[in-house]
Amino acid sequence: MSSTGFNAEWLSDPEARMPLAVEEHLWTRAADLTQKPSFGLFAAGLIRPGEFDVLDYAVRTAPDLRTALQRLARYNRLLHDLATFEIIPIGETTRIEHRFDVVGVRPCPQAAEFTLASLVVVASQLCGKPVKALSVEFAHAALDKLEAYREVFGVTPRVKCSVSCLVLPSELLDRPIPAADPGLSRIVMAHAEQLLAASHCPPENIVTLVRRQLAEGMAHGQTSLQAVARCLNLSERSLQRRLDDQGTRFAYLMDEVRRELAMRYIADEHLALGEVVYLLGFADPSSFHRAFKRWTGITPAAARRSRH
């Protein structure tokens, strides 16, 4: 603690927040002292129910893994001011992206690995059997031998990507959790909402909320201003005004999210271009082709060929 700037008094203060730099120093020193390069993966394997207090129980009492992830995305601010999760359905798969809600700032490698590994660990505990990822990406270089990652995730990760993310089967996420407890879930959720309302953590950025809603609703046609405002419990006028205050517009965010998703879908050769058109919510292939050429200067087919 002394070498990282951690104040021991924080341990007895439930409202304490440690600076991000201290957290990063703790991760680095833990890896050094234990001589475990992938200490984040190791730490995730030690997670037991209840260790993250109300957030943990909100997640663990959910009826299915998708709801559990949605609760994680909403209540994670009870533990961390910057970390956000974006849940993106992509046909038969679902992509979970982990980032910080501040431009230019990323989770440190150990924290990123702990976070994605913890998703697999907790999902396995909820399902009562091992859960393996379809793919894993990290924004940093590998910290350990690739076998260490394969043991946790079941696949070899891609590294030095634009964002850290985990991809799981949608069928798995929508399958009921055997030990789900609806009664306890209602109690925990009510308490979590009270804590969120009373907490001193900053409110989630409206731009982040809109981007998340657009990403989750893109393939289901839930991307109109009216639909997004309804999901966020805002009037259309209030939503537009709050986006104006952030210096952006709804149409710009829609275009931005579509462009980012398009790049990911094009990279996935299991998806036909016709499926990409559907997943992005375009009315027809020609509309998608025009948009893609505006974003990149080339056609979707050419972009896919260029990856070979």
Side-chain angles (χ1 to χ4, degrees):
M1 290 191 291
S2 62
S3 67
T4 59
F6 186 90
N7 186 339
E9 293 180 359
W10 293 341
L11 294 172
S12 57
D13 180 3
E15 301 299 324
R17 284 302 215 243
M18 80 171 78
L20 184 62
V22 173
E23 180 197 345
E24 294 181 351
H25 285 322
L26 286 169
W27 280 115
T28 302
R29 285 294 290 146
D32 291 342
L33 291 170
T34 58
Q35 297 184 332
K36 293 182 182 295
S38 53
F39 179 80
L41 301 182
F42 167 75
L46 302 179
I47 291 175
R48 296 296 179 266
E51 292 189 355
F52 296 101
D53 203 47
V54 175
L55 171 65
D56 205 342
Y57 288 110
V59 167
R60 290 177 184 274
T61 58
D64 51 60
L65 290 180
R66 187 176 302 279
T67 304
L69 287 169
Q70 292 168 344
R71 292 181 179 183
L72 173 64
R74 177 166 179 76
Y75 299 117
N76 194 58
R77 285 182 297 137
L78 293 173
L79 295 184
H80 204 295
D81 292 341
L82 299 181
T84 64
F85 294 88
E86 194 166 329
I87 305 160
I88 307 168
I90 308 176
E92 296 180 354
T93 67
T94 297
R95 181 181 174 99
I96 305 108
E97 296 189 352
H98 174 247
R99 58 166 60 87
F100 280 171
D101 194 16
V102 175
V103 176
V105 181
R106 284 181 170 178
C108 70
Q110 294 287 354
E113 293 188 2
F114 170 80
T115 300
L116 294 193
S118 69
L119 297 180
V120 171
V121 169
V122 174
S124 298
Q125 292 172 353
L126 291 176
C127 292
K129 58 183 179 181
V131 167
K132 298 300 182 183
L134 295 177
S135 64
V136 180
E137 297 176 9
F138 288 111
H140 56 271
L143 301 179
D144 205 344
K145 296 178 180 178
L146 293 180
E147 183 57 34
Y149 297 91
R150 285 193 286 266
E151 287 181 6
V152 175
F153 298 106
V155 293
T156 302
R158 294 179 59 217
V159 297
K160 297 182 180 180
C161 299
S162 59
V163 65
S164 295
C165 79
L166 181 75
V167 179
L168 295 173
S170 294
E171 182 274 332
L172 173 68
L173 297 186
D174 295 324
R175 194 185 303 166
I177 292 175
D181 188 332
L184 180 58
S185 180
R186 285 192 296 271
I187 295 171
V188 171
M189 290 293 289
H191 186 43
E193 286 294 333
Q194 290 175 349
L195 289 176
L196 198 60
S199 69
H200 299 295
C201 58
E204 204 163 12
N205 188 296
I206 189 63
V207 173
T208 299
L209 291 171
V210 170
R211 281 178 52 87
R212 181 184 301 152
Q213 196 61 49
L214 287 171
E216 292 183 17
M218 191 73 69
H220 309 292
Q222 301 296 314
T223 54
S224 67
L225 176 64
Q226 180 183 32
V228 172
R230 183 172 61 250
C231 289
L232 298 178
N233 294 315
L234 295 170
S235 68
E236 294 176 44
R237 182 173 298 180
S238 294
L239 177 55
Q240 288 175 318
R241 183 172 62 251
R242 290 180 63 177
L243 290 175
D244 283 341
D245 291 342
Q246 294 294 316
T248 190
R249 302 288 295 174
F250 184 81
Y252 173 78
L253 292 178
M254 166 75 91
D255 194 62
E256 185 180 66
V257 172
R258 265 182 166 164
R259 181 179 69 249
E260 292 177 7
L261 291 177
M263 299 302 123
R264 296 167 193 159
Y265 295 161
I266 289 295
D268 185 352
E269 298 198 0
H270 293 97
L271 290 174
L273 292 181
E275 292 179 284
V276 176
V277 173
Y278 166 76
L279 289 171
L280 294 176
F282 282 99
D284 53 69
S286 60
S287 299
F288 169 56
H289 281 242
R290 286 195 300 271
F292 195 89
K293 198 163 186 179
R294 171 169 55 82
W295 295 328
T296 65
I298 59 176
T299 66
R304 180 162 280 181
R305 285 197 301 271
S306 70
R307 298 185 62 84
H308 295 291

mmCIF file of all heavy atoms in Angstrom, residues 63-70 87 89 91-94 127 168-177 220:
data_model
loop_
_atom_site.group_PDB
_atom_site.id
_atom_site.type_symbol
_atom_site.label_atom_id
_atom_site.label_comp_id
_atom_site.label_asym_id
_atom_site.label_seq_id
_atom_site.Cartn_x
_atom_site.Cartn_y
_atom_site.Cartn_z
ATOM 1 N N PRO A 63 -32.528 -12.946 -14.297
ATOM 2 C CA PRO A 63 -33.143 -14.154 -14.859
ATOM 3 C C PRO A 63 -32.320 -14.824 -15.955
ATOM 4 O O PRO A 63 -32.473 -16.011 -16.214
ATOM 5 C CB PRO A 63 -34.477 -13.645 -15.412
ATOM 6 C CG PRO A 63 -34.236 -12.194 -15.697
ATOM 7 C CD PRO A 63 -33.293 -11.730 -14.619
ATOM 8 N N ASP A 64 -31.439 -14.054 -16.613
ATOM 9 C CA ASP A 64 -30.584 -14.615 -17.667
ATOM 10 C C ASP A 64 -29.311 -13.774 -17.754
ATOM 11 O O ASP A 64 -29.214 -12.694 -17.164
ATOM 12 C CB ASP A 64 -31.317 -14.643 -19.024
ATOM 13 C CG ASP A 64 -31.933 -13.298 -19.375
ATOM 14 O OD1 ASP A 64 -31.178 -12.320 -19.476
ATOM 15 O OD2 ASP A 64 -33.169 -13.224 -19.530
ATOM 16 N N LEU A 65 -28.331 -14.263 -18.502
ATOM 17 C CA LEU A 65 -27.042 -13.584 -18.567
ATOM 18 C C LEU A 65 -27.130 -12.237 -19.276
ATOM 19 O O LEU A 65 -26.384 -11.310 -18.944
ATOM 20 C CB LEU A 65 -26.018 -14.474 -19.275
ATOM 21 C CG LEU A 65 -25.549 -15.718 -18.512
ATOM 22 C CD1 LEU A 65 -24.535 -16.495 -19.344
ATOM 23 C CD2 LEU A 65 -24.935 -15.331 -17.170
ATOM 24 N N ARG A 66 -28.017 -12.100 -20.250
ATOM 25 C CA ARG A 66 -28.138 -10.808 -20.929
ATOM 26 C C ARG A 66 -28.620 -9.742 -19.954
ATOM 27 O O ARG A 66 -28.092 -8.625 -19.920
ATOM 28 C CB ARG A 66 -29.083 -10.905 -22.122
ATOM 29 C CG ARG A 66 -29.113 -9.617 -22.959
ATOM 30 C CD ARG A 66 -29.988 -9.758 -24.191
ATOM 31 N NE ARG A 66 -29.548 -10.844 -25.039
ATOM 32 C CZ ARG A 66 -28.541 -10.746 -25.908
ATOM 33 N NH1 ARG A 66 -27.864 -9.614 -25.999
ATOM 34 N NH2 ARG A 66 -28.200 -11.779 -26.659
ATOM 35 N N THR A 67 -29.624 -10.083 -19.144
ATOM 36 C CA THR A 67 -30.097 -9.142 -18.133
ATOM 37 C C THR A 67 -29.005 -8.848 -17.123
ATOM 38 O O THR A 67 -28.846 -7.711 -16.661
ATOM 39 C CB THR A 67 -31.340 -9.699 -17.420
ATOM 40 O OG1 THR A 67 -32.350 -9.993 -18.397
ATOM 41 C CG2 THR A 67 -31.901 -8.695 -16.422
ATOM 42 N N ALA A 68 -28.230 -9.871 -16.768
ATOM 43 C CA ALA A 68 -27.118 -9.672 -15.838
ATOM 44 C C ALA A 68 -26.123 -8.660 -16.390
ATOM 45 O O ALA A 68 -25.645 -7.777 -15.663
ATOM 46 C CB ALA A 68 -26.428 -11.007 -15.562
ATOM 47 N N LEU A 69 -25.812 -8.760 -17.685
ATOM 48 C CA LEU A 69 -24.888 -7.819 -18.312
ATOM 49 C C LEU A 69 -25.469 -6.413 -18.342
ATOM 50 O O LEU A 69 -24.752 -5.422 -18.131
ATOM 51 C CB LEU A 69 -24.551 -8.286 -19.727
ATOM 52 C CG LEU A 69 -23.621 -9.487 -19.843
ATOM 53 C CD1 LEU A 69 -23.583 -9.995 -21.275
ATOM 54 C CD2 LEU A 69 -22.215 -9.122 -19.363
ATOM 55 N N GLN A 70 -26.751 -6.307 -18.640
ATOM 56 C CA GLN A 70 -27.394 -4.995 -18.659
ATOM 57 C C GLN A 70 -27.363 -4.348 -17.277
ATOM 58 O O GLN A 70 -27.163 -3.137 -17.145
ATOM 59 C CB GLN A 70 -28.829 -5.128 -19.172
ATOM 60 C CG GLN A 70 -28.900 -5.499 -20.647
ATOM 61 C CD GLN A 70 -30.284 -5.922 -21.093
ATOM 62 O OE1 GLN A 70 -31.153 -6.222 -20.260
ATOM 63 N NE2 GLN A 70 -30.506 -5.963 -22.396
ATOM 64 N N ILE A 87 -23.086 -3.360 -24.743
ATOM 65 C CA ILE A 87 -23.546 -4.701 -25.125
ATOM 66 C C ILE A 87 -24.129 -4.614 -26.531
ATOM 67 O O ILE A 87 -25.135 -3.931 -26.750
ATOM 68 C CB ILE A 87 -24.589 -5.214 -24.122
ATOM 69 C CG1 ILE A 87 -24.015 -5.165 -22.700
ATOM 70 C CG2 ILE A 87 -25.021 -6.637 -24.476
ATOM 71 C CD1 ILE A 87 -25.057 -5.178 -21.621
ATOM 72 N N PRO A 89 -25.589 -6.728 -29.682
ATOM 73 C CA PRO A 89 -26.020 -7.972 -30.336
ATOM 74 C C PRO A 89 -25.597 -7.979 -31.808
ATOM 75 O O PRO A 89 -25.786 -6.985 -32.514
ATOM 76 C CB PRO A 89 -27.556 -7.911 -30.217
ATOM 77 C CG PRO A 89 -27.837 -6.854 -29.194
ATOM 78 C CD PRO A 89 -26.724 -5.869 -29.305
ATOM 79 N N GLY A 91 -26.362 -10.660 -34.535
ATOM 80 C CA GLY A 91 -26.925 -11.923 -34.993
ATOM 81 C C GLY A 91 -26.918 -12.964 -33.889
ATOM 82 O O GLY A 91 -27.519 -12.772 -32.840
ATOM 83 N N GLU A 92 -26.185 -14.058 -34.104
ATOM 84 C CA GLU A 92 -26.144 -15.155 -33.143
ATOM 85 C C GLU A 92 -25.092 -14.950 -32.056
ATOM 86 O O GLU A 92 -24.894 -15.818 -31.210
ATOM 87 C CB GLU A 92 -25.878 -16.474 -33.884
ATOM 88 C CG GLU A 92 -27.002 -16.848 -34.849
ATOM 89 C CD GLU A 92 -26.732 -18.156 -35.564
ATOM 90 O OE1 GLU A 92 -25.616 -18.707 -35.382
ATOM 91 O OE2 GLU A 92 -27.622 -18.636 -36.275
ATOM 92 N N THR A 93 -24.420 -13.805 -32.074
ATOM 93 C CA THR A 93 -23.409 -13.503 -31.063
ATOM 94 C C THR A 93 -23.711 -12.161 -30.405
ATOM 95 O O THR A 93 -24.493 -11.356 -30.922
ATOM 96 C CB THR A 93 -21.997 -13.454 -31.665
ATOM 97 O OG1 THR A 93 -21.908 -12.319 -32.548
ATOM 98 C CG2 THR A 93 -21.705 -14.723 -32.443
ATOM 99 N N THR A 94 -23.094 -11.932 -29.257
ATOM 100 C CA THR A 94 -23.220 -10.652 -28.565
ATOM 101 C C THR A 94 -21.835 -10.207 -28.135
ATOM 102 O O THR A 94 -21.084 -10.969 -27.527
ATOM 103 C CB THR A 94 -24.137 -10.755 -27.335
ATOM 104 O OG1 THR A 94 -25.460 -11.099 -27.769
ATOM 105 C CG2 THR A 94 -24.197 -9.427 -26.584
ATOM 106 N N CYS A 127 -24.219 -20.262 -14.615
ATOM 107 C CA CYS A 127 -24.727 -21.340 -15.470
ATOM 108 C C CYS A 127 -24.469 -22.723 -14.868
ATOM 109 O O CYS A 127 -25.061 -23.709 -15.311
ATOM 110 C CB CYS A 127 -24.091 -21.261 -16.854
ATOM 111 S SG CYS A 127 -24.594 -19.807 -17.808
ATOM 112 N N LEU A 168 -19.726 -13.519 -26.884
ATOM 113 C CA LEU A 168 -20.372 -14.729 -26.381
ATOM 114 C C LEU A 168 -21.553 -15.102 -27.272
ATOM 115 O O LEU A 168 -22.096 -14.242 -27.980
ATOM 116 C CB LEU A 168 -20.876 -14.499 -24.952
ATOM 117 C CG LEU A 168 -19.822 -14.239 -23.873
ATOM 118 C CD1 LEU A 168 -20.500 -13.851 -22.560
ATOM 119 C CD2 LEU A 168 -18.937 -15.464 -23.671
ATOM 120 N N PRO A 169 -21.984 -16.364 -27.253
ATOM 121 C CA PRO A 169 -23.159 -16.756 -28.050
ATOM 122 C C PRO A 169 -24.427 -16.093 -27.492
ATOM 123 O O PRO A 169 -24.667 -16.120 -26.280
ATOM 124 C CB PRO A 169 -23.220 -18.283 -27.871
ATOM 125 C CG PRO A 169 -21.896 -18.671 -27.311
ATOM 126 C CD PRO A 169 -21.381 -17.498 -26.536
ATOM 127 N N SER A 170 -25.238 -15.528 -28.359
ATOM 128 C CA SER A 170 -26.492 -14.902 -27.913
ATOM 129 C C SER A 170 -27.414 -15.935 -27.279
ATOM 130 O O SER A 170 -28.140 -15.638 -26.321
ATOM 131 C CB SER A 170 -27.186 -14.229 -29.096
ATOM 132 O OG SER A 170 -26.419 -13.144 -29.580
ATOM 133 N N GLU A 171 -27.388 -17.157 -27.804
ATOM 134 C CA GLU A 171 -28.256 -18.208 -27.260
ATOM 135 C C GLU A 171 -27.948 -18.460 -25.791
ATOM 136 O O GLU A 171 -28.844 -18.669 -24.975
ATOM 137 C CB GLU A 171 -28.058 -19.487 -28.077
ATOM 138 C CG GLU A 171 -28.940 -20.659 -27.648
ATOM 139 C CD GLU A 171 -28.326 -21.478 -26.517
ATOM 140 O OE1 GLU A 171 -27.086 -21.505 -26.408
ATOM 141 O OE2 GLU A 171 -29.104 -22.065 -25.720
ATOM 142 N N LEU A 172 -26.662 -18.422 -25.447
ATOM 143 C CA LEU A 172 -26.253 -18.619 -24.060
ATOM 144 C C LEU A 172 -26.757 -17.477 -23.177
ATOM 145 O O LEU A 172 -27.255 -17.701 -22.074
ATOM 146 C CB LEU A 172 -24.729 -18.703 -23.969
ATOM 147 C CG LEU A 172 -24.144 -18.745 -22.558
ATOM 148 C CD1 LEU A 172 -24.511 -20.051 -21.865
ATOM 149 C CD2 LEU A 172 -22.629 -18.567 -22.594
ATOM 150 N N LEU A 173 -26.653 -16.254 -23.677
ATOM 151 C CA LEU A 173 -27.063 -15.091 -22.885
ATOM 152 C C LEU A 173 -28.560 -15.062 -22.633
ATOM 153 O O LEU A 173 -29.015 -14.515 -21.612
ATOM 154 C CB LEU A 173 -26.641 -13.794 -23.587
ATOM 155 C CG LEU A 173 -25.132 -13.573 -23.772
ATOM 156 C CD1 LEU A 173 -24.875 -12.187 -24.332
ATOM 157 C CD2 LEU A 173 -24.387 -13.763 -22.470
ATOM 158 N N ASP A 174 -29.340 -15.629 -23.538
ATOM 159 C CA ASP A 174 -30.802 -15.588 -23.403
ATOM 160 C C ASP A 174 -31.369 -16.823 -22.714
ATOM 161 O O ASP A 174 -32.575 -16.906 -22.480
ATOM 162 C CB ASP A 174 -31.442 -15.427 -24.788
ATOM 163 C CG ASP A 174 -31.078 -14.085 -25.427
ATOM 164 O OD1 ASP A 174 -30.975 -13.102 -24.672
ATOM 165 O OD2 ASP A 174 -30.892 -14.033 -26.649
ATOM 166 N N ARG A 175 -30.499 -17.763 -22.367
ATOM 167 C CA ARG A 175 -30.949 -18.967 -21.680
ATOM 168 C C ARG A 175 -31.222 -18.648 -20.205
ATOM 169 O O ARG A 175 -30.433 -17.943 -19.565
ATOM 170 C CB ARG A 175 -29.864 -20.043 -21.785
ATOM 171 C CG ARG A 175 -30.321 -21.443 -21.420
ATOM 172 C CD ARG A 175 -29.132 -22.386 -21.450
ATOM 173 N NE ARG A 175 -28.450 -22.393 -22.744
ATOM 174 C CZ ARG A 175 -27.259 -22.917 -22.942
ATOM 175 N NH1 ARG A 175 -26.592 -23.457 -21.923
ATOM 176 N NH2 ARG A 175 -26.714 -22.882 -24.138
ATOM 177 N N PRO A 176 -32.339 -19.120 -19.620
ATOM 178 C CA PRO A 176 -32.636 -18.821 -18.209
ATOM 179 C C PRO A 176 -31.540 -19.332 -17.275
ATOM 180 O O PRO A 176 -30.958 -20.395 -17.496
ATOM 181 C CB PRO A 176 -33.957 -19.553 -17.957
ATOM 182 C CG PRO A 176 -34.572 -19.712 -19.307
ATOM 183 C CD PRO A 176 -33.421 -19.900 -20.255
ATOM 184 N N ILE A 177 -31.249 -18.568 -16.225
ATOM 185 C CA ILE A 177 -30.291 -18.990 -15.202
ATOM 186 C C ILE A 177 -31.005 -19.923 -14.226
ATOM 187 O O ILE A 177 -32.044 -19.556 -13.666
ATOM 188 C CB ILE A 177 -29.714 -17.769 -14.465
ATOM 189 C CG1 ILE A 177 -28.840 -16.944 -15.413
ATOM 190 C CG2 ILE A 177 -28.902 -18.206 -13.241
ATOM 191 C CD1 ILE A 177 -28.330 -15.653 -14.823
ATOM 192 N N HIS A 220 -32.602 -4.384 -34.233
ATOM 193 C CA HIS A 220 -34.026 -4.577 -33.958
ATOM 194 C C HIS A 220 -34.872 -3.362 -34.344
ATOM 195 O O HIS A 220 -36.054 -3.293 -34.006
ATOM 196 C CB HIS A 220 -34.229 -4.899 -32.470
ATOM 197 C CG HIS A 220 -33.371 -6.007 -31.980
ATOM 198 N ND1 HIS A 220 -33.513 -7.316 -32.382
ATOM 199 C CD2 HIS A 220 -32.304 -6.013 -31.122
ATOM 200 C CE1 HIS A 220 -32.601 -8.072 -31.796
ATOM 201 N NE2 HIS A 220 -31.858 -7.310 -31.035
#
